[in-house]
Amino acid sequence: MRAHQHAFNSALALRRVFFNHAVERAGSSSTQLSSMFLPSLSIATQVRTFRYPSKGKGAGDAKTAKQLPRDEDITYRLVQVREEDGRLSEPTPTKSVLAGLNRRIESLVVLALPKTGAGNGPRYPVCKVVDKRAEQKAAAEKQKEQRKKAVQTKEMELNWGIDSHDLDHRLKQLRTFLEKGLKVEVILLNKKGKKKKPSQDEAQGVVDRVKETMGEVPGAKESKVMDGQILSTLRLFLEGPAGGVQQEAEAN
């Protein structure tokens, strides 16, 4: 052991002699020479900095369902899947969950994002496996319902001096609109070019015919009180039953 230690000390002494001599000649290159002659005394330290991908905002932030990620847009490594009974699965690799889906009819959707900092929320993203077909059907039904609620308004102009044949034709149109559940604004006025001006009773008769037609449609009503004067400009605001006559009959 002593012989080995003596040999090591001798080698180290010789290395220092050569090193000092080289430093005197190299001057500012002493650092480079140190790594050449004394590698055991030079320790190279490498520091790696890991940057984790942004996980987005926490569950407490205002995010709509459309903004929440699904399938490959889910960048979290682990997720919890909500079962049909409401229970949450153990944290599972996202890739494993996606690999187990029937991608033709199933999709993984994030329901809640994990909390950030001291905010409230789950530790892992809470997801749900949804049936694409049921999802599309629900969206179509919702859109259909919205179209039904968007009640259209029709406008119908009648001349005070309209003849009986034309009046019958226009009132038939009015009935059709009301049966569809539409709103109709009937405007009675004096049109230019009509030489004969009807009497007060004749004008009142036109108003009565309009209201009689409305009364023939189940569920139809005046949505507002009529506005204006007879033999001037008069507006009647009529409204058919919500959803049309067929839906009105089914409700009763």
Side-chain angles (χ1 to χ4, degrees):
M1 178 66 71
R2 289 184 178 180
H4 181 271
Q5 184 177 3
H6 178 73
F8 175 80
N9 291 338
S10 299
L12 182 59
L14 288 172
R15 184 179 294 181
R16 285 177 177 172
V17 170
F18 284 111
F19 172 73
N20 293 335
H21 178 68
V23 168
E24 291 177 359
R25 297 183 61 184
S28 61
S29 302
S30 59
T31 302
Q32 182 179 1
L33 289 170
S34 175
S35 62
M36 292 171 58
F37 287 94
L38 298 175
S40 61
L41 301 179
S42 177
I43 301 176
T45 304
Q46 294 182 351
V47 179
R48 293 184 180 181
T49 302
F50 293 91
R51 293 183 179 272
Y52 293 92
S54 174
K55 302 297 185 183
K57 297 183 179 180
D61 296 318
K63 272 184 172 287
T64 63
K66 290 184 179 179
Q67 292 175 311
L68 293 173
R70 63 166 57 204
D71 297 331
E72 275 70 27
D73 291 334
I74 302 174
T75 58
Y76 299 90
R77 190 174 66 86
L78 298 175
V79 296
Q80 287 183 284
V81 179
R82 193 181 75 180
E83 306 295 344
E84 292 296 330
D85 58 5
R87 292 184 299 175
L88 295 179
S89 69
E90 293 295 324
T92 309
T94 307
K95 290 183 178 180
S96 298
V97 179
L98 291 174
L101 299 181
N102 181 344
R103 302 304 291 274
R104 187 175 62 84
I105 61 173
E106 292 180 321
S107 181
L108 184 66
V109 180
V110 172
L111 301 178
L113 293 173
K115 66 179 179 180
T116 56
N120 296 324
R123 182 177 178 183
Y124 301 97
V126 176
C127 301
K128 181 181 180 181
V129 177
V130 299
D131 189 320
K132 292 181 181 180
R133 297 166 300 180
E135 197 175 37
Q136 292 171 356
K137 183 179 179 181
E141 289 178 352
K142 183 178 180 181
Q143 191 175 20
K144 184 179 179 181
E145 190 66 25
Q146 288 175 341
R147 285 198 298 267
K148 285 184 179 180
K149 291 181 179 179
V151 181
Q152 297 180 1
T153 300
K154 295 288 185 179
E155 189 175 279
M156 178 179 290
E157 288 188 357
L158 299 177
N159 177 37
W160 287 114
I162 188 171
D163 61 56
S164 59
H165 177 74
D166 289 342
L167 181 59
D168 289 341
H169 176 69
R170 301 304 299 278
L171 292 179
K172 186 177 180 180
Q173 286 183 322
L174 174 61
R175 183 185 180 111
T176 301
F177 292 152
L178 294 176
E179 287 177 344
K180 290 181 178 179
L182 304 180
K183 291 182 178 180
V184 184
E185 183 177 338
V186 180
I187 305 172
L188 291 157
L189 70 169
N190 290 307
K191 289 188 176 180
K192 295 180 179 180
K194 294 290 182 179
K195 296 181 179 179
K196 182 182 177 181
K197 187 175 182 180
S199 65
Q200 184 81 14
D201 291 341
E202 289 174 330
Q204 182 63 53
V206 175
V207 175
D208 293 341
R209 288 286 307 278
V210 171
K211 290 189 175 184
E212 286 172 5
T213 301
M214 178 196 69
E216 293 170 358
V217 179
K221 61 182 180 180
E222 288 189 68
S223 57
K224 291 192 294 184
V225 179
M226 64 179 183
D227 179 45
Q229 295 180 346
I230 291 179
L231 290 177
S232 181
T233 300
L234 181 69
R235 297 175 185 271
L236 290 92
F237 305 94
L238 313 180
E239 181 178 337
V245 171
Q246 184 176 356
Q247 186 169 330
E248 175 74 12
E250 291 175 354
N252 295 330

